[in-house]
Amino acid sequence: MLTVELTKKWMELFYAQIDQEKAYLSELDTPIGDGDHGNNMKRGVDGVKDSLAKLKDPTLKETLRTIAMALISKVGGASGPLYGTAFLEMAKKCDESQEPAILFAAALEGIKKRGGAKEGDKTMVDVWAPTVKALTDGSFGTEQIKQAVASTKEMIARKGRASYLGERSVGHLDPGAMSSGYLFETFIAAGGVK
Amino acid sequence: MKKIINSPQDVVPEMVDGLVRSYPEYLKQIPETEAVVRSDQASMKGKVGLVSGGGSGHEPTHAGFVGKGMLSAAVCGQVFTSPTPDQIYAAIKAVNQGKGVFLVIKNYSGDVMNFEMARDMAEMDGIAVKEIIVDDDIAVENSLYTQGKRGVAGTVLMHKLLGAAADQGASLDELETLAKKALPHISTIAVALSAATVPEVGKPGFELADDEIEYGVGIHSEPGYRREKIKPSKELVAELLSKIDEVQHLDATHQYALLINGMGATPLMEQYIFSHDVLNKLAEKNITPVFTKVGNYMTSIDMAGISLTIFELAEQKWLEYLNYPVATVAW
């Protein structure tokens, strides 16, 4: 069950992870993008941290919506709307259910709709889709997430800036898949799934 | 990295502030944003607003084209990173005169997503919004397997065309029709001598040897279609023009506008030599462009290189739009 407390803990850990891996994310973005994914995500988590600190006794919906708006207004590029949409869809869904499997599934639909990427296009969807599935069949876990991130290495990019490289994108991890991996790993570390 | 900056994270706010304060006769900053609007508010009265924007690093695009007869507002994102929907929305609101707002978006996944989220926000507030997604870079094929063609220097011609039409009272629907009609007639292709260095990254987006060039590179160091040894200007022109010819089938019975665009680190001296060769090559086909611009319009920070845009003026009105007087920093 996703709660306000869990979400806050999760965002603290996500912040720490992005802060620590900022240079690595930008490095992954250099051969197949424009080398700024770490900086962009850092601006986003800074925004999340500041906005959450201002909330007084928020509901889960307010918490998720605040995260969404911070990401949308701070990250920019393609990652801002995609991560922002993910949290906005969770905010819309959370009155109905607080089950991570259901919330993440709603988020995934939002990401697919916003960005138009399918599984296999070498994007964050390649982490979100198998992870949502793993949450339903019980295989969800750090190993499963790492595998999903790693699977993007051999894919040919078909969306976003990396798509211009075509086959030259093979052999590189997708930076958005990596940051999504961090998002799910920190969800586990925050106690998200027992 | 050697740049005249204070710190990489302050590049955009300091640049916008410097630009606006240097040219208060043209530009005003929307408070709490990196969006700029026309200072000449009276010139927007009763007209459709025209808003563009994108990542910074392409100066004078887009803010340099804000002013009477051209853009109503421009939104400056982080370097090579699309601006966010809240900022784009602030620009839409600032220029809305009740006649609707038209967006000029370059075809990058981030730009399209952020502008469309801003459009959704504006529509929820009852502001009519329409858009054109510019994709004039013919170096990449339109394909289901990529983002599609990119928006590059031809976007500036789109600003000019739509700005003139909007200033003469064109409606939102008329602007959409004009944009859709003109877009397929605008083709751009570039050659790079060296890559751009994003301040927050600190090193060039790709490496080219001292004697190497790359054809078809994008304005954010996206890869091109071929690398080879540097050649004389006339041979570079022959290559680029042949690519445009494949798409446009250049023909002396048609009228053409020409935009030769420096990518940031290429001196005007070299741009004029390139122009000399383009005009000679076109003359071989008995073509004399009826409109020409040479200079830095859509740069890529400090990339060395040049792009060639050919716009077939399928309608006489389009030439009038290109010649229509404007009051901007950079046209």
Side-chain angles (χ1 to χ4, degrees):
Chain A
M1 294 283 275
L2 194 62
T3 60
V4 172
E5 205 181 330
L6 169 60
T7 308
K8 283 186 168 171
K9 178 81 186 150
W10 174 24
M11 287 300 112
E12 275 170 32
L13 295 176
F14 186 52
Y15 174 90
Q17 184 80 0
I18 294 291
D19 190 45
Q20 188 187 316
E21 303 296 343
K22 183 179 118 167
Y24 176 58
L25 287 174
S26 287
E27 193 186 305
L28 287 180
D29 195 28
T30 301
I32 61 169
D34 58 358
D36 62 3
H37 188 56
N39 295 319
N40 291 347
M41 289 305 291
K42 179 62 169 47
R43 266 201 319 277
V45 293
D46 280 344
V48 168
K49 192 179 179 186
D50 292 349
S51 328
L52 285 182
K54 286 181 201 144
L55 289 183
K56 272 215 160 98
D57 300 322
T59 62
L60 180 59
K61 192 176 195 132
E62 284 164 351
T63 308
L64 292 168
R65 201 186 136 77
T66 301
I67 296 167
M69 294 319 287
L71 293 169
I72 289 170
S73 64
K74 294 291 177 202
V75 180
S79 306
L82 292 169
Y83 276 110
T85 299
F87 279 91
L88 210 52
E89 292 302 321
M90 288 197 266
K92 282 191 210 162
K93 198 76 180 177
C94 72
D95 283 343
E96 201 181 297
S97 168
Q98 294 85 47
E99 278 303 320
I102 290 171
L103 294 174
F104 290 153
L108 169 63
E109 282 318 301
I111 291 169
K112 283 178 158 175
K113 202 168 157 221
R114 179 64 64 196
K118 300 184 300 294
E119 273 181 82
D121 285 350
K122 195 180 183 98
T123 71
M124 63 198 289
V125 169
D126 294 307
V127 172
W128 281 78
T131 300
V132 164
K133 195 159 159 278
L135 274 161
T136 21
D137 69 18
S139 62
F140 178 69
T142 310
E143 259 323 294
Q144 167 267 318
I145 296 164
K146 285 195 192 310
Q147 267 178 28
V149 173
S151 77
T152 64
K153 190 163 181 172
E154 295 313 313
M155 292 176 186
I156 298 176
R158 290 183 168 170
K159 277 282 160 193
R161 211 164 271 170
S163 68
Y164 300 117
L165 285 161
E167 287 181 0
R168 283 187 275 168
S169 63
V170 172
H172 300 285
L173 287 173
D174 177 67
M178 189 75 241
S179 58
S180 294
Y182 295 154
L183 185 72
F184 290 119
E185 283 175 19
T186 52
F187 180 71
I188 295 175
V193 173
K194 301 279 178 297
Chain B
M1 176 176 68
K2 197 153 68 171
K3 289 183 188 291
I4 302 172
I5 61 172
N6 295 306
S7 79
Q9 62 269 28
D10 294 333
V11 162
V12 177
E14 290 181 358
M15 170 191 75
V16 173
D17 182 72
L19 177 67
V20 170
R21 283 166 61 197
S22 304
Y23 293 101
E25 65 274 39
Y26 300 123
L27 304 174
K28 213 169 64 172
Q29 190 167 358
I30 303 175
E32 319 276 311
T33 72
E34 312 300 348
V36 299
V37 288
R38 266 188 222 179
S39 346
D40 182 2
Q41 295 277 315
S43 71
M44 302 198 289
K45 274 266 171 298
K47 291 167 190 167
V48 174
L50 192 59
V51 175
S52 190
S56 290
H58 307 303
E59 294 67 31
T61 290
H62 297 271
F65 303 116
V66 171
K68 181 174 159 53
M70 227 164 153
L71 297 176
S72 316
V75 195
C76 311
Q78 291 292 319
V79 177
F80 288 1
T81 300
S82 165
T84 56
D86 51 316
Q87 303 230 344
I88 301 164
Y89 177 51
I92 292 174
K93 270 206 297 201
V95 305
N96 176 43
Q97 304 280 329
K99 302 282 177 184
V101 175
F102 195 81
L103 307 177
V104 183
I105 308 168
K106 300 196 295 307
N107 189 29
Y108 299 96
S109 44
D111 286 290
V112 173
M113 282 186 244
N114 284 288
F115 272 82
E116 291 190 343
M117 285 180 96
R119 184 195 62 195
D120 293 349
M121 291 159 88
E123 282 172 349
M124 276 194 277
D125 282 353
I127 303 174
V129 179
K130 291 196 177 242
E131 66 188 34
I132 185 77
I133 298 175
V134 180
D135 60 349
D136 57 312
D137 189 348
I138 58 161
V140 279
E141 305 247 333
N142 244 342
S143 154
L144 279 178
Y145 303 114
T146 71
Q147 180 64 28
K149 284 155 62 195
R150 302 175 290 239
V152 289
T155 310
V156 178
L157 298 178
M158 187 60 84
H159 292 342
K160 185 67 183 72
L161 217 56
L162 295 171
D167 200 55
Q168 293 174 42
S171 69
L172 193 57
D173 286 338
E174 286 165 346
L175 289 181
E176 187 187 35
T177 307
L178 170 64
K180 281 187 173 165
K181 249 189 190 171
L183 183 61
H185 296 285
I186 305 176
S187 306
T188 302
I189 190 155
V191 59
L193 279 60
S194 71
T197 297
V198 173
E200 282 200 287
V201 177
K203 50 181 191 263
F206 58 88
E207 293 291 343
L208 276 174
D210 269 355
D211 60 348
E212 254 185 341
I213 55 156
E214 184 163 336
Y215 295 114
V217 170
I219 55 172
H220 315 96
S221 303
E222 293 94 339
Y225 62 87
R226 196 168 81 233
R227 270 185 191 196
E228 57 186 38
K229 299 268 184 224
I230 180 80
K231 287 182 163 167
S233 166
K234 61 181 117 182
E235 289 176 39
L236 300 177
V237 166
E239 168 70 22
L240 298 184
L241 207 51
S242 75
K243 288 283 171 191
I244 290 183
D245 199 18
E246 281 172 26
V247 178
Q248 292 233 6
H249 310 294
L250 302 171
D251 178 335
T253 62
H254 295 159
Q255 287 200 317
Y256 296 98
L258 178 63
L259 171 64
I260 288 166
N261 171 60
M263 304 300 287
T266 290
L268 280 167
M269 181 178 73
E270 292 172 33
Q271 295 182 37
Y272 295 139
I273 293 169
F274 185 88
S275 308
H276 156 89
D277 291 315
V278 171
L279 292 167
N280 279 349
K281 197 78 195 163
L282 287 172
E284 287 174 17
K285 291 178 181 285
N286 294 315
I287 294 170
T288 308
V290 291
F291 180 94
T292 302
K293 280 265 176 192
V294 185
N296 299 324
Y297 289 87
M298 175 74 75
T299 59
S300 179
I301 316 179
D302 54 350
M303 181 194 273
I306 204 159
S307 73
L308 172 62
T309 303
I310 299 229
F311 176 21
E312 187 208 332
L313 302 169
E315 294 186 18
Q316 189 56 36
K317 193 89 192 144
W318 298 356
L319 179 58
E320 289 166 29
Y321 288 150
L322 288 179
N323 285 316
Y324 190 78
V326 297
T328 65
V329 173
W331 175 255

